[in-house]
Amino acid sequence: MGKLMAVIRREYVERIRSRWFLIATVFGPVFFGALMFLPALIASRDKGAADSSHIVIIDATGAGLGERVSARLAGGISGGGGATPRVIVVPADSIAPAEALATGEVMREAVKGYLILDSLSLAGRKARYAGSNTTALFDMQKLERAVQHEVLALRMQTLGIDPDVGRQLTEINMNVATERLTKQGRGGSGQLNIFFGLAVAMLLYMTIFIYGLNVLRGVLEEKQTRVAEVVISSVSASKLLAGKVLGVGGVGLTQLLLWLSMSFMMYKVRAPILAKFGAASAPITLPNMSWGTGAILVAFFVLGFMLYAGLFAGVGATVNSEQEAQQAQMPVVLLLVSSIMFAQNILLQPDSTLSRVLSMLPFSAPIVMPLRMTVAPVANSEIAIALLSVALGAWAAVWLASRIYRVGLLMYGKRPSIGEVLRWVKQR
């Protein structure tokens, strides 16, 4: 036990004193703070391009929809006093020639783009826009809204409703504010819960990924410098591996807690900082999280890190150079990346079969289950099964890594084949 603690202390102190730990600790909250402040600043100042309504509307509806949309956009798509869109009325079978001419104008930068309105647009199904500013999401949303409003107004006029009354009715632009209710009561904004859940998942993913690779590089460095030959003479390979995983994991947990603490402090001073830049700070209610939930999230991180650190350590013991390590680590990296790839699906449907299955598998549960827990209520039995699954996976990964580690650490020369690695595992 004394030797194990000595290895843990060495791995922990050596890394926590490094310059990179300090830099990452400081810049992590700066990065998270930028995510917190920049969207509010950009949203408060983004009013779209002034010339975004400098477009051509090709109207093949035969109902004057183009003129109506043009009139709505007369103040500029963003309402900033831009140009009035030019309307070209064409028969339904002459859209292609008109589109070709409009394309030429866009390529000569005479206009920003062109909007095509036809019978499908009149039916409320589809309108088409092409231009040089299609990536300006703010302007595209305004354009889409203008077409929708005028189609609705035109239908009302067709039904005999006064145009002014119809226009007033179509001006409604309602936002539905969502609020999550939990067993503890009100749990804050629904959108904020999604953002918070995604932030938790990304934080766990980044920490496990960065410090898992740290274990791999540590093993490889000891192997290349032959330090392992000296250390292994006084400490068993299993204790050396366990000490390395626990020591590096302790550094990752320390940094994770520091990031969370500093991010919480930045959240507290968010309003005064935004006020200095002239941006209003919307009231934000953080999701309710009990100490028990926090402890479960930490448990998922610790077990998930042990699982992946064991796999990375096993990979590190089988390679002899950085180039070999980059190739050999790919299967483990893909396992971890596959967890975060499904984040959007899990956020949209946290109780779907896909979400439930991924939150039970040992390789994805450390990321997926915390994500589910922060956006939707999850049964205690499912959380217990997921924790057990990750714990068993971590035990199996560390056991497998220790079998590879004890032989691979002292093997040099050619890279071992899969058959040789399996013989190392079976060897007593």
Side-chain angles (χ1 to χ4, degrees):
M1 192 65 183
K3 292 180 178 178
L4 175 63
M5 291 303 298
V7 175
I8 294 173
R9 192 183 306 114
R10 171 182 172 274
E11 297 291 339
Y12 184 84
V13 173
E14 183 180 293
R15 284 171 173 77
I16 213 163
R17 284 180 175 174
S18 70
R19 187 181 306 167
W20 290 111
F21 178 83
L22 181 63
I23 292 173
T25 302
V26 172
F27 279 92
V30 170
F31 173 72
F32 299 133
L35 290 180
M36 194 180 297
F37 294 131
L38 284 180
L41 279 173
I42 293 172
S44 66
R45 299 184 177 186
D46 189 2
K47 302 207 180 281
D51 61 344
S52 54
S53 60
H54 189 47
I55 62 175
V56 173
I57 298 178
I58 300 174
D59 183 5
T61 61
L65 180 60
E67 289 292 347
R68 300 179 70 106
V69 173
S70 175
R72 176 170 283 272
L73 297 175
I77 289 176
S78 59
T84 301
R86 177 161 49 93
V87 180
I88 301 175
V89 179
V90 298
D93 56 355
S94 301
I95 292 179
E99 184 177 356
L101 291 174
T103 301
E105 290 189 67
V106 175
M107 294 176 68
R108 294 193 305 274
E109 299 184 352
V111 293
K112 301 290 286 186
Y114 59 87
L115 173 68
I116 298 178
L117 302 173
D118 55 14
S119 58
L120 292 176
S121 309
L122 208 55
R125 294 171 57 188
K126 180 182 176 184
R128 193 154 55 88
Y129 180 81
S132 58
N133 59 340
T134 52
T135 55
L137 298 180
F138 184 82
D139 293 339
M140 294 302 104
Q141 288 176 357
K142 290 287 185 183
L143 182 63
E144 186 179 61
R145 199 173 302 158
V147 176
Q148 287 176 346
H149 282 189
E150 290 308 322
V151 169
L152 184 57
L154 194 60
R155 288 185 179 182
M156 288 182 175
Q157 186 176 345
T158 306
L159 294 173
I161 299 175
D162 184 84
D164 292 334
V165 175
R167 192 175 298 279
Q168 290 176 9
L169 292 175
T170 58
E171 289 296 336
I172 296 175
N173 185 22
M174 182 182 293
N175 289 320
V176 178
T178 58
E179 186 176 16
R180 184 188 176 201
L181 294 177
T182 65
K183 292 179 181 177
Q184 290 75 35
R186 298 186 183 280
S189 162
Q191 291 180 344
L192 184 63
N193 271 278
I194 292 175
F195 179 78
F196 183 74
L198 192 58
V200 168
M202 287 300 297
L203 202 59
L204 292 175
Y205 167 76
M206 286 172 56
T207 311
I208 292 174
F209 183 72
I210 292 171
Y211 285 96
L213 284 178
N214 209 328
V215 170
L216 185 151
R217 292 204 168 85
V219 172
L220 181 60
E221 183 181 352
E222 288 181 351
K223 192 173 176 180
Q224 288 177 329
T225 57
R226 305 290 178 98
V227 171
E229 295 179 6
V230 179
V231 177
I232 208 81
S233 62
S234 58
V235 183
S236 66
S238 58
K239 283 185 179 178
L240 183 59
L241 176 64
K244 186 176 290 296
V245 170
L246 293 175
V248 177
V251 178
L253 185 59
T254 303
Q255 192 158 63
L256 186 63
L257 295 177
L258 285 172
W259 280 349
L260 290 175
S261 303
M262 295 172 76
S263 297
F264 183 73
M265 291 171 60
M266 294 185 75
Y267 159 75
K268 286 292 185 183
V269 300
R270 176 175 179 265
I273 292 177
L274 285 174
K276 288 186 178 180
F277 287 96
S281 173
I284 295 177
T285 304
L286 287 179
N288 288 328
M289 181 177 291
S290 63
W291 286 103
T293 304
I296 292 172
L297 294 181
V298 171
F300 272 112
F301 166 75
V302 172
L303 294 173
F305 174 79
M306 290 180 65
L307 189 155
Y308 279 99
L311 295 178
F312 278 121
V315 170
T318 63
V319 297
N320 299 297
S321 65
E322 189 72 29
Q323 290 78 9
E324 289 183 4
Q326 289 177 0
Q327 295 175 352
Q329 73 190 13
M330 283 309 294
V332 183
V333 171
L334 289 177
L335 272 179
L336 187 56
V337 170
S338 63
S339 306
I340 208 71
M341 279 176 56
F342 293 97
Q344 185 177 2
N345 305 70
I346 293 157
L347 287 173
L348 293 174
Q349 293 182 308
D351 292 325
S352 66
T353 303
L354 175 68
S355 302
R356 290 174 186 271
V357 170
L358 288 176
S359 62
M360 300 293 175
L361 296 176
F363 299 112
S364 52
I367 308 295
V368 176
M369 182 54 86
L371 180 60
R372 280 189 66 200
M373 288 172 59
T374 49
V375 297
V378 181
N380 292 335
S381 58
E382 291 187 30
I383 297 174
I385 293 173
L387 275 173
L388 181 63
S389 169
V390 183
L392 290 175
W395 175 82
V398 172
W399 178 83
L400 185 68
S402 65
R403 307 289 288 186
I404 298 173
Y405 191 73
R406 62 178 181 167
V407 180
L409 200 60
L410 301 176
M411 297 293 288
Y412 302 96
K414 76 177 184 68
R415 187 174 168 183
S417 63
I418 294 177
E420 287 175 308
V421 173
L422 290 177
R423 280 198 295 275
W424 295 354
V425 174
K426 294 176 183 176
Q427 187 178 344
R428 294 187 177 181

